[in-house]
Amino acid sequence: MRLTSYTDYALRVLLYLGARPGETCSIAEMARNYGISQNHLMKVVHHLGKSGHVASFRGRNGGIRLALAPETINVGALIRRSEGHGGPNPGGLLDCGACVIGPACRLTSVIDEALAAFFGVLDHYTLADLLEGRAASLRRLLCIEAATAD
C-alpha cells in the first residue's frame, strides 16, 4: 500500500508547524527546508486550513501555524481525510468490479481487514505523539531556529 504525496506533505506540514508551537511559518520556508514543491504545499496548506488544522494570516508578518493543539490531531483521521475517504482507495485496494472471480474471491475481505488494522494502529496516535521528545531534532534537521525549548 502506498499513501499519496498529498498525505505525505500534509503530515510534513503539521510536523513542521508542531515543531514550532505558536510560531508563524511560511509555505516558502517549509518548501525550501523540505526540498519540495512550494506549489504542491500551497494546495495542501489550503486544504489543511479549510479542515481547521492550520490557521493562515495575511500581510507582512503573515504565514501559517497550527490551529489545533497537537494532541487533538489524530493521525488516522488525518490520513483518511487526506486520502479522501476511509482508505487509500474507496472500493478497497483492489479493483474487483471487473474481475471474473470477484464473487467467489475472499481476497477483498482480507485486504479490507488489513486496512482496518492499519488505520486502527494510526488511530492510536496524535500529532503530539509524533512530536514527543523530537521537536528539537526536527528543528535541527530542518534548520529551524528554536524559539522555544522542548
Side-chain angles (χ1 to χ4, degrees):
M1 183 176 95
R2 196 174 175 107
L3 298 175
T4 63
S5 59
Y6 179 90
T7 299
D8 177 28
Y9 290 178
L11 290 165
R12 289 186 197 205
V13 165
L14 295 178
L15 285 166
Y16 193 97
L17 297 175
R20 297 182 67 173
E23 295 181 46
T24 302
C25 307
S26 74
I27 293 171
E29 168 191 334
M30 281 189 281
R32 184 177 55 255
N33 287 339
Y34 275 127
I36 58 180
S37 166
Q38 184 173 332
N39 290 334
H40 290 311
L41 273 187
M42 287 174 69
K43 180 180 177 183
V44 170
V45 167
H46 173 74
H47 286 105
L48 287 171
K50 287 180 83 171
S51 68
H53 289 91
V54 300
S56 60
F57 305 92
R58 293 184 179 266
R60 182 176 166 167
N61 295 317
I64 60 170
R65 67 175 160 231
L66 283 179
L68 301 170
E71 51 277 349
T72 66
I73 300 174
N74 181 274
V75 175
L78 177 76
I79 291 175
R80 282 185 188 90
R81 191 175 303 111
S82 294
E83 293 292 329
H85 34 71
N89 184 344
L93 292 178
L94 301 174
D95 181 12
C96 297
C99 182
V100 296
I101 66 166
C105 182
R106 186 163 178 245
L107 185 57
T108 302
S109 65
V110 171
I111 289 180
D112 288 345
E113 182 181 346
L115 277 174
F118 173 78
F119 281 109
V121 170
L122 292 172
D123 287 340
H124 284 67
Y125 293 93
T126 66
L127 180 61
D129 295 324
L130 301 180
L131 291 166
E132 187 177 335
R134 291 179 167 75
S137 296
L138 288 170
R139 286 191 300 267
R140 189 174 51 258
L141 290 168
L142 292 167
C143 302
I144 300 170
E145 294 292 324
T148 60
D150 278 7

